[in-house]
């Protein structure tokens, strides 16, 4: 969405991510609290986690539709990300259905530990493998974005002020003092600022 300068609010993505994060925490806690592995690690917390996973999946589908409707605003070369999400969503739904059938339907064939191996392979394992391969494959084909170049451009007002100072100093017979160099403001995280600070120090010493 950088072409239009009107991106979606980051709060939408954070909200969907929050549902997925809470679902993951509940699933892990529920699985570790259940000491009976033969029951398939199913309890109230894991069931609530599955419901939240489904809510997060619906949220991702909504975001996918919104972003796809503005696909012309996506930068060139990044449309393949939509393809990765579009392929992954149906596979994730099949994986969720597999978990829902056993967690809420209590079907022994869908037990991850003692259930039917063929069903687990077709509805769980293969989906996870394909999703990982698709995301990795498309991610590796994306071009690396060039790093931002930091250049200092003097404004028209500063140039005019420099010329006025030079003229006044010449008329008074004084040697004009060089204008003190002001470092441009840097944007970015602490690591990038530290790197640019070191670059500025090296440039000043060369002068």
């Amino acid at each position: 969405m950088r072409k239009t300068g009107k991106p979606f609010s980051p709060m939408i993505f954070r909200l969907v991510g929050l549902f997925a994060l809470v679902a993951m925490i509940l699933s892990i806690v529920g699985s570790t609290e259940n000491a009976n592995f033969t029951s398939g690690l199913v309890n109230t917390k894991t069931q609530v986690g599955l419901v939240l996973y489904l809510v997060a999946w619906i949220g991702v589908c909504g975001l996918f539709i919104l972003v796809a409707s503005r696909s012309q605003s996506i930068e060139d070369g990044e449309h393949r990300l939509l393809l990765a999400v579009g392929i992954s969503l149906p596979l994730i739904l099949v994986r969720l259905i597999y978990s829902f059938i056993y967690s809420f339907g209590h079907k022994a064939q869908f037990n991850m530990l003692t259930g039917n191996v063929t069903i687990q392979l077709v509805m769980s394992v293969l989906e996870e493998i394909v999703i990982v391969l698709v995301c990795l494959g498309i991610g590796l084909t994306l071009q690396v974005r060039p790093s931002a170049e930091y250049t200092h451009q003097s404004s028209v007002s500063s140039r005019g002020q420099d010329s006025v100072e030079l003229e006044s100093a010449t008329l008074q017979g004084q040697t004009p003092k060089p204008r003190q160099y002001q470092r441009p403001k840097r944007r970015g995280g602490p690591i990038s600022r530290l790197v640019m600070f070191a670059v500025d120090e090296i440039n000043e010493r060369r002068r």
Side-chain angles (χ1 to χ4, degrees):
M1 303 303 172
R2 299 187 184 94
K3 289 184 177 180
T4 59
K6 297 179 181 180
F8 295 110
S9 174
M11 293 301 299
I12 303 176
F13 298 90
R14 292 175 184 173
L15 182 61
V16 175
L18 181 62
F19 279 107
L21 179 61
V22 175
M24 181 179 63
I25 294 174
L26 289 176
S27 300
I28 294 173
V29 173
S31 300
T32 54
E33 286 182 352
N34 195 344
N36 186 8
F37 290 95
T38 59
S39 64
L41 306 177
V42 176
N43 52 29
T44 304
K45 291 182 179 179
T46 57
Q47 290 176 342
V48 174
L50 281 175
V51 174
L52 292 179
Y53 271 130
L54 181 60
V55 174
W57 182 85
I58 295 173
V60 173
C61 290
L63 290 174
F64 174 76
I65 295 174
L66 289 176
V67 175
S69 64
R70 298 171 59 179
S71 59
Q72 296 180 353
S73 302
I74 301 176
E75 293 188 359
D76 298 335
E78 296 187 0
H79 293 81
R80 283 165 287 186
L81 293 173
L82 280 179
L83 178 62
V85 176
I87 295 175
S88 301
L89 284 176
L91 299 176
I92 295 175
L93 179 61
V94 174
R95 179 63 179 83
L96 287 175
I97 293 174
Y98 173 81
S99 299
F100 268 93
I101 290 175
Y102 177 70
S103 298
F104 294 92
H106 302 288
K107 300 290 184 179
Q109 296 85 354
F110 293 85
N111 191 322
M112 294 183 182
L113 301 177
T114 60
N116 190 307
V117 179
T118 304
I119 295 177
Q120 184 179 7
L121 175 65
V122 175
M123 297 188 66
S124 176
V125 178
L126 290 179
E127 280 72 16
E128 296 174 0
I129 293 175
V130 172
I131 290 172
V132 172
L133 291 178
V134 168
C135 293
L136 286 177
I138 293 181
L140 291 174
T141 59
L142 295 176
Q143 297 181 357
V144 180
R145 295 181 59 83
S147 57
E149 297 180 358
Y150 296 91
T151 57
H152 176 66
Q153 298 179 355
S154 57
S155 61
V156 178
S157 60
S158 62
R159 292 178 182 176
Q161 186 176 358
D162 292 340
S163 60
V164 171
E165 291 180 356
L166 290 174
E167 290 177 359
S168 61
T170 304
L171 293 175
Q172 295 177 3
Q174 299 177 358
T175 303
K177 297 181 180 180
R179 185 176 180 85
Q180 187 177 1
Y181 175 75
Q182 296 181 353
R183 296 180 181 177
K185 295 182 179 180
R186 306 297 185 187
R187 296 181 179 179
I191 297 178
S192 61
R193 291 184 180 179
L194 180 61
V195 172
M196 297 310 302
F197 176 78
V199 173
D200 290 337
E201 290 291 335
I202 295 173
N203 294 332
E204 287 185 1
R205 290 183 180 179
R206 289 179 179 177
R207 292 174 186 173

